[in-house]
Amino acid sequence: MSYKFTGEAGAALAFLIGYLAIFGWMCYGYLTHRLKWRSRYSLLFFHVIIRLASQACGVGFGVLGFANTNLFLAFLILGAEGYFSLVLCTFRFVISWHQHNLPSGESWLEPRDTASTNKVRKFLVFLFLGPLAFLVYHDNPMVFFHSALILANAAIVIGGSYLAGADYNDPNSPDTKRRLQISKITRTTGQSVFLAGNAMLLVIILVTMRNNRRDGDSRGKRGSVHPTLWLLFIAWFPLIVRGIFGILQASVFSLSYYNPDNYRSTGFTPRFTLIEYFLGVLTEWLACVILNLTYLTSRHDPKKREVTGDNKMEGKEEVVN
């Protein structure tokens, strides 16, 4: 059987190179200590690794087509996890800005632990309760957001996996119709939670910008907005486009991965390839680039301060940015 380098493989390769460029920059940052492992960038680095794996699978599927369906399934699953990690990244970047720039050194999204015993307790709560940890940490907004996004991500993966077993040679069979309906409900629900999370993220960024303009920040300026917050605001736009596309892809069958009309013998149709990579992959890549640019705008921010047991703040030299 002969294999061809299709347009889909070319699109996947283009974004593989794009993410490799980000990966190279971040590795350089870590090696030169411009970026620290114990910082917000580590979660973004994790997103980049997921996306590299996803794009590599996309290239493979674009060349092999349905001769290797495992690559296709890996592409879908890794793509969903990439979006999940990127949304969490943006929340973490806002929290980090709070901790570095607010006079209290605290973020109202996530109070910092004051003792190692609290950290152990939180780890155990997450270990045994998972996404239900917000029942214990009800005074910690980020735990609630994190838990909601975990549940939404699980709904998307379960819905996609359930639909994978449908018989598309008989789309009118009761089993196929049932699988399509259940998958549509679960995936749309999961994507709706992500979209709601993105909407809440915008509110959080705008409130932070308003407070920053009114109260000032580490620069000692009032009446202006920190450039890092402007970058986070700009990064929100490709994220919301990606979220809306996720809703449409889950609820509109003509945009679904599981619509046979979106495929030909070698893989995706050119129309579906353009839609998928323009609205699904390009948006994530742009948001990732913008989040990396916050390094330039936050280089002179004060170091994060350590919260002691009596809530006093002390200098913390090893954690920056």
Side-chain angles (χ1 to χ4, degrees):
M1 181 177 180
S2 61
Y3 302 112
K4 296 182 179 180
F5 191 84
T6 61
E8 177 196 345
L13 179 61
F15 282 100
L16 177 63
I17 295 172
Y19 271 104
L20 277 173
I22 299 175
F23 179 80
W25 143 249
M26 297 194 77
C27 285
Y28 171 77
Y30 286 124
L31 290 173
T32 58
H33 305 292
R34 286 174 169 82
L35 303 180
K36 302 296 182 181
W37 287 109
R38 294 180 59 191
S39 72
R40 64 186 185 269
Y41 293 101
S42 292
L43 185 56
L44 188 60
F45 189 63
F46 179 65
H47 162 77
V48 172
I49 292 174
I50 291 176
R51 259 303 170 186
L52 283 174
S54 176
Q55 293 311 121
C57 291
V59 172
F61 177 65
V63 173
L64 300 178
F66 291 101
N68 191 327
T69 56
N70 289 331
L71 285 174
F72 174 60
L73 292 175
F75 172 74
L76 296 185
I77 293 173
L78 290 169
E81 297 309 306
Y83 178 50
F84 168 63
S85 63
L86 190 59
V87 173
L88 280 181
C89 276
T90 313
F91 274 102
R92 300 308 313 176
F93 272 58
V94 176
I95 291 171
S96 179
W97 187 90
H98 289 164
Q99 292 173 341
H100 284 279
N101 289 277
L102 296 184
S104 64
E106 288 272 7
S107 172
W108 40 271
L109 278 176
E110 185 181 66
R112 296 170 65 190
D113 295 318
T114 58
S116 59
T117 53
N118 289 345
K119 295 180 180 179
V120 172
R121 178 173 178 267
K122 182 181 288 187
F123 172 77
L124 293 175
V125 168
F126 269 100
L127 179 64
F128 290 104
L129 295 183
L132 297 179
F134 70 89
L135 296 175
V136 176
Y137 291 97
H138 52 82
D139 59 341
N140 189 326
M142 194 56 202
V143 171
F144 174 78
F145 288 131
H146 199 164
S147 300
L149 293 177
I150 289 175
L151 291 173
N153 186 60
I156 294 170
V157 172
I158 291 172
S161 300
Y162 189 67
L163 192 56
D167 182 8
Y168 296 105
N169 293 320
D170 187 10
N172 294 318
S173 70
D175 179 68
T176 300
K177 289 183 176 180
R178 178 175 57 85
R179 287 178 179 272
L180 286 170
Q181 185 63 23
I182 293 175
S183 176
K184 181 178 180 179
I185 292 172
T186 56
R187 293 173 65 237
T188 302
T189 300
Q191 292 289 355
S192 297
V193 173
F194 272 97
L195 190 64
N198 276 323
M200 185 58 64
L201 176 64
L202 176 62
V203 173
I204 291 169
I205 292 173
L206 291 177
V207 169
T208 301
M209 293 174 76
R210 183 202 63 184
N211 293 345
N212 178 218
R213 187 186 298 273
R214 181 191 64 198
D215 303 328
D217 52 46
S218 60
R219 301 171 302 161
K221 296 180 180 180
R222 292 187 180 183
S224 64
V225 176
H226 196 290
T228 295
L229 294 180
W230 280 117
L231 286 177
L232 294 178
F233 176 68
I234 294 171
W236 180 83
F237 287 94
L239 281 178
I240 197 65
V241 171
R242 174 65 177 88
I244 294 172
F245 175 61
I247 287 281
L248 294 175
Q249 204 167 40
S251 57
V252 180
F253 191 61
S254 62
L255 296 175
S256 174
Y257 287 116
Y258 304 98
N259 181 0
D261 294 337
N262 289 329
Y263 298 91
R264 53 186 180 179
S265 59
T266 56
F268 294 151
T269 63
R271 169 188 171 273
F272 190 69
T273 297
L274 179 63
I275 293 173
E276 168 64 22
Y277 278 92
F278 186 76
L279 296 177
V281 184
L282 175 61
T283 50
E284 290 188 26
W285 185 83
L286 287 174
C288 184
V289 169
I290 296 169
L291 291 179
N292 266 287
L293 288 176
T294 62
Y295 166 77
L296 300 175
T297 59
S298 62
R299 284 181 297 174
H300 302 298
D301 287 353
K303 299 181 187 301
K304 187 187 300 183
R305 292 176 291 176
E306 184 176 9
V307 182
T308 60
D310 57 358
N311 290 328
K312 294 181 179 179
M313 311 296 289
E314 297 179 353
K316 189 169 185 177
E317 299 296 330
E318 71 274 18
V319 179
V320 296
N321 293 328

